Amino acid sequence: MDHIALTQPWHQFDEAVLFHRSVLGLLPHETVDVADPYGLLRSRALTSGAGDGLRLVLNLAPVEQGTRAQHIAFTTGDITDTARRIRAAGAELLPVPANYHDDLDARFDFSPGELDTYRSLGILYDRDEQGGEFRHFYTATVGHICFEIVQRTGGYRGYGAANATIRLTAQRHQRG
């Protein structure tokens, strides 16, 4: 497992951070604000030690938004193989907007065919300043939960915050 993301009501967000810090000894990271179709979403990761152990992400959803899907992220060593196998098993994956991969093409260099593969499988991508890479995709939301599959390489320590707006918008469209 890579991490668990839990949504907190606005009036319990700071309490949840304090609880996980004091009771579980998790170290809070910098707060990140993400554009959401319902307003601003505040997110804060907490990790054990250097971040290689337990990873928890707390999200403070906008009040108007209502119940948000929570997710559990699993790690894989081969994101494209995993996406193909999950699709072949009949799971519905969260659709990615057509222009997302066009934007990636403008921002990053990819090996021949790599971006086409990501586009066909709905894989999201991020790269940090140190050259670490994060590839991930989401299942469709069922009830109030979805699953994320991630592949981290090169020491990437983040959670793909650059792609959060894409995911949140796609989940919004999925709900209708």
Side-chain angles (χ1 to χ4, degrees):
M1 184 169 55
D2 188 82
H3 65 276
I4 298 173
L6 302 172
T7 302
Q8 302 298 307
W10 69 270
H11 59 285
Q12 293 175 345
F13 186 76
D14 292 330
E15 291 173 18
V17 172
L18 180 60
F19 171 82
H20 290 95
R21 182 178 183 180
S22 60
V23 175
L24 300 179
L26 298 179
L27 304 173
H29 294 259
E30 185 176 321
T31 299
V32 176
D33 292 330
V34 176
D36 179 293
Y38 296 100
L40 193 63
L41 174 109
R42 177 156 291 155
S43 184
R44 189 156 193 194
L46 296 105
T47 60
S48 61
D52 294 333
L54 177 63
R55 293 183 184 115
L56 180 67
V57 178
L58 300 178
N59 293 317
L60 171 62
V63 175
E64 311 80 32
Q65 185 265 321
T67 305
R68 165 174 309 288
Q70 310 206 46
H71 72 266
I72 300 170
F74 294 100
T75 302
T76 183
D78 187 339
I79 195 80
T80 57
D81 180 60
T82 303
R84 286 183 179 112
R85 289 175 44 204
I86 288 175
R87 273 193 173 170
E92 181 184 347
L93 303 184
L94 192 66
V96 176
N99 67 338
Y100 169 78
H101 292 94
D102 294 338
D103 181 58
L104 281 183
D105 192 28
R107 294 178 24 225
F108 302 112
D109 291 325
F110 292 95
S111 61
E114 182 179 8
L115 193 56
D116 291 332
T117 300
Y118 295 166
R119 184 185 319 269
S120 70
L121 296 172
I123 294 172
L124 304 170
Y125 178 87
D126 191 28
R127 186 181 304 162
D128 64 22
E129 290 103 22
Q130 293 77 32
E133 296 176 299
F134 189 67
R135 295 163 182 88
H136 59 135
F137 67 88
Y138 295 84
T139 64
T141 304
V142 177
H144 297 292
I145 191 164
C146 69
F147 296 96
E148 178 185 15
I149 309 298
V150 307
Q151 181 180 2
R152 296 173 182 271
T153 57
Y156 187 98
R157 296 234 183 252
Y159 299 88
N163 297 320
T165 300
I166 299 299
R167 171 182 58 89
L168 294 166
T169 302
Q171 286 175 324
R172 167 76 166 90
H173 286 295
Q174 180 192 27
R175 281 190 291 259

